[in-house]
Amino acid sequence: MAVQAPQPPAHRVALVAFPGIRAFDVSVITEVWGTDRTDRGAPSFDLRRVAVDSTPVPMRGGLALHPDRTLTWLSRADLIVIPGLDDHLTPAPTPVLDALRRAHARGTTLAALCGGAFTLAQAGLLDGRRAITHWNLIDLLRTHHPRVNVVPDALFIEDDNIWTAAGTAAGIDLCLHLVRRAHGAEAAATIARSMVTAPFRTGTQAQFIEHPTPRADRDADTLAAVREHALRHLHEPLTVADLAAYAGMSPRSFARHFTAATGTTPLRWLLDQRIATAQKLLERTDLPMPEIARRAGFGSEVTMRQHFASRLATSPRAYRAAFSIPTPTPASDTGAPDSASVTGGSSPIAR
């Protein structure tokens, strides 16, 4: 009888609760880490609702969150997530602020969604550090916490193991990124598919894009076709000029319309797709590094390694060692990776 390999311990995640937290952010955290998807290959999580005591925490709309652990459980957490606030100047309880300071001193990863950055700022944990919040709250954060280096435009950022995210959908992006960072791109894609959301938006993408007009809608259709074309030809040495020519635009006009439609530049988007493709191939196949670099469009293993170091702070070999799936799915024999399987099933239009 075959002996099953022991399962890794569940990743312990703490949702910090106190009066004034946003129900939406609580739902996002619960959906990402509180839903059992192990039957679909997702990691096992142990999500706990942590508060000062066991008293139900009121939220807007007549809702209440029932804590199942007190603040002492934070010493066991691998990740601590702070929801945003309905009133962004809501003072957090002193025991919560003290517990967050102790957790950071221990090296525990902290993450705040939207206005949760104000809670971290109250604790003094963002002093001298880079942070982001919803674009409409940036001036408020700067005014009340002038020692915070507020980044004007990003989806999420990290500084000294403290993550902050912009509003609403960016909180989902950060949560999926934290899953990807701890468990690999395949795990994040599995959860994203279940949530019917895009599995990969980088933190450096703009918070919002221009409102579409009838002309912009036509441009968006063209650009969606360009992105689809790019995903199917990532193994080729595509350039922004190539994509502009496919769209029938000048490179300058193409770059302007692309950024307005997606919130990121064509070059950054193309690099993001190459990295995501390489991640999937490293996880799912045992292809040699030069072949992965070729299929992802990096051209050489050296170039791929440089981009992994600058964007993921790791090497392709270290990434494979951490996240490779024991029974890999055979790669296609064609020169190009299949866009649906390699990108986690996400549509270029959805991006």
Side-chain angles (χ1 to χ4, degrees):
M1 179 181 296
V3 178
Q4 290 187 342
Q7 295 297 314
H11 195 69
R12 295 176 298 245
V13 182
L15 187 167
V16 176
F18 56 88
I21 58 173
R22 295 179 68 216
F24 179 87
D25 292 344
V26 169
S27 298
V28 168
I29 297 166
T30 303
E31 182 64 28
V32 172
W33 286 291
T35 301
D36 185 0
R37 300 183 179 91
T38 53
D39 61 332
R40 282 166 270 180
S44 176
F45 301 118
D46 182 10
L47 175 66
R48 298 295 175 176
R49 301 175 296 276
V50 176
V52 174
D53 53 40
S54 60
T55 304
V57 176
M59 296 185 293
R60 182 175 292 178
L63 303 174
L65 182 147
H66 293 264
D68 55 12
R69 293 292 186 276
T70 61
L71 294 172
T72 56
W73 195 81
L74 295 185
S75 63
R76 302 179 56 193
D78 302 302
L79 169 66
I80 298 172
V81 190
I82 302 97
L85 308 168
D86 286 321
D87 179 350
H88 307 289
L89 300 181
T90 299
T94 298
V96 169
L97 300 179
D98 291 340
L100 292 176
R101 295 185 193 104
R102 289 193 298 269
H104 180 256
R106 287 192 300 269
T108 306
T109 301
L110 304 180
L113 310 189
C114 194
F118 285 81
T119 300
L120 291 177
Q122 288 177 39
L125 292 173
L126 297 183
D127 288 354
R129 297 189 173 100
R130 298 165 67 247
I132 188 63
T133 188
H134 190 284
W135 60 268
N136 199 38
L137 301 174
I138 286 175
D139 289 341
L140 187 67
L141 183 59
R142 284 172 170 162
T143 298
H144 287 268
H145 300 282
R147 298 185 64 184
V148 179
N149 181 11
V150 182
V151 176
D153 193 18
L155 291 182
F156 55 83
I157 60 173
E158 180 268 344
D159 193 333
D160 195 20
N161 209 25
I162 298 176
W163 295 83
T164 50
T168 313
I172 300 175
D173 294 321
L174 174 56
C175 291
L176 291 174
H177 178 77
L178 292 171
V179 171
R180 183 183 306 109
R181 182 170 174 263
H183 305 283
E186 179 65 19
T190 298
I191 295 173
R193 281 194 296 270
S194 176
M195 295 173 63
V196 196
T197 189
F200 188 72
R201 287 207 299 170
T202 62
T204 52
Q205 185 167 324
Q207 286 195 36
F208 59 90
I209 61 177
E210 296 178 6
H211 295 292
T213 62
R215 172 59 185 274
D217 288 341
R218 291 196 297 272
D219 290 341
D221 290 339
T222 299
L223 296 175
V226 171
R227 296 195 296 274
E228 176 70 30
H229 171 78
L231 288 175
R232 294 189 183 281
H233 295 82
L234 276 179
H235 60 291
E236 300 176 3
L238 292 173
T239 65
V240 175
D242 294 332
L243 299 181
Y246 187 85
M249 301 179 186
S250 69
R252 179 175 295 182
S253 177
F254 173 74
R256 184 174 67 253
H257 287 292
F258 192 99
T259 302
T262 66
T264 190
T265 66
L267 185 61
R268 185 179 293 278
W269 180 88
L270 193 58
L271 177 57
D272 289 342
Q273 306 316 309
R274 296 195 191 287
I275 290 175
T277 297
Q279 286 178 298
K280 290 302 177 72
L281 291 172
L282 288 165
E283 292 183 20
R284 296 180 177 185
T285 78
D286 58 1
L287 290 169
M289 293 295 168
E291 178 63 11
I292 289 178
R294 185 189 72 81
R295 294 192 181 202
F298 287 112
S300 73
E301 181 181 352
V302 172
T303 301
M304 180 172 71
R305 187 165 60 245
Q306 290 171 342
H307 285 299
F308 263 65
S310 63
R311 300 295 291 275
L312 304 178
T314 189
S315 70
R317 294 182 187 279
Y319 186 89
R320 168 173 274 174
F323 299 121
S324 60
I325 298 172
T327 305
T329 300
S332 170
D333 289 332
T334 61
D338 177 71
S339 63
S341 63
V342 173
T343 59
S346 62
S347 163
I349 299 175
R351 295 179 188 278

